[in-house]
Amino acid sequence: MGSEVTLLDYWPSPFGMRARVALAEKGIDYEYKEENLMEGKSDFQLKVNPIHKKIPVLIHNGKPIGESLIMVQYIDEVWNHKSPLMPKDPYQRAVARFWADYIDKKMYDSGKKVCVTKGEEQETAKKEFLDCLKLLEFGRTRDH
Ligand SMILES: N[C@@H](CCC(=O)N[C@@H](CS)C(=O)NCC(=O)O)C(=O)O
């Protein structure tokens, strides 16, 4: 299918990274548009994601898709001639979704605090973040 793909993103975003990895895995050419959140939100961002007003946003043939996990699933479904991103087995798919959800619910907040806080609060956030990474590594490598 003929495709015009744009990713509106901000380089430090772990959510944007999800979309970038999925696009790279599928070998999709796309235009990368940087949205520097430190400088506020562009009219374009507000237009393509009027509900959450967040990046990343994937724009495929003029149609915007928000929410990184939804866009990863979309990429997998549209470019389905390449190897699937998700495991075939339903249980392994559930496990993959579980850890993606864990990153959203647990890791993002402590990762952000490491960047934006100082002193004791930052030290606590660092510890929390490292604990999350250890658990993630354990979860990823243990037998399910
Ligand atoms: N659940 C969203 C989270 C996206 C998100 O939080 N993006 C941050 C940057 S990492 C953002 O746009 N923040 C701006 C804001 O919250 O106003 C996703 O998975 O795409």
Side-chain angles (χ1 to χ4, degrees):
M1 103 191 260
S3 281
E4 214 171 88
V5 181
T6 302
L7 181 68
L8 185 67
D9 196 357
Y10 181 37
W11 69 267
S13 171
F15 304 110
M17 181 58 78
R18 272 184 183 150
R20 277 172 260 153
V21 169
L23 290 164
E25 284 289 328
K26 295 283 183 172
I28 301 163
D29 285 333
Y30 64 98
E31 182 191 355
Y32 179 88
K33 267 195 189 190
E34 178 82 350
E35 178 81 14
N36 187 344
L37 292 178
M38 302 313 252
E39 294 171 359
K41 293 178 186 179
S42 67
D43 290 345
F44 184 63
Q45 185 188 353
L46 300 176
K47 183 175 158 220
V48 292
N49 193 353
I51 308 294
H52 294 304
K53 305 177 177 66
K54 291 186 179 202
I55 56 89
V57 184
L58 183 78
I59 302 129
H60 183 207
N61 293 333
K63 293 184 279 188
I65 299 131
E67 290 299 311
S68 58
L69 290 178
I70 293 172
M71 67 187 73
V72 167
Q73 193 175 352
Y74 178 82
I75 291 166
D76 210 14
E77 287 171 2
V78 172
W79 286 274
N80 59 5
H81 56 290
K82 294 272 178 110
S83 303
L85 299 173
M86 290 290 276
K88 217 174 170 159
D89 175 69
Y91 182 68
Q92 292 303 331
R93 292 163 83 86
V95 169
R97 291 190 185 109
F98 174 89
W99 288 110
D101 182 66
Y102 172 83
I103 288 169
D104 284 1
K105 288 184 177 147
K106 291 277 184 192
M107 288 195 73
Y108 179 65
D109 283 348
S110 51
K112 192 172 176 183
K113 275 191 208 147
V114 171
C115 299
V116 302
T117 61
K118 296 228 177 313
E120 204 175 311
E121 201 181 349
Q122 189 186 43
E123 290 311 310
T124 308
K126 276 185 199 168
K127 193 186 166 310
E128 269 175 28
F129 191 69
L130 287 173
D131 287 347
C132 285
L133 283 176
K134 282 183 204 151
L135 196 56
L136 191 62
E137 189 61 15
F138 165 75
R140 203 176 58 76
T141 54
R142 84 189 156 124
D143 276 347
H144 287 284

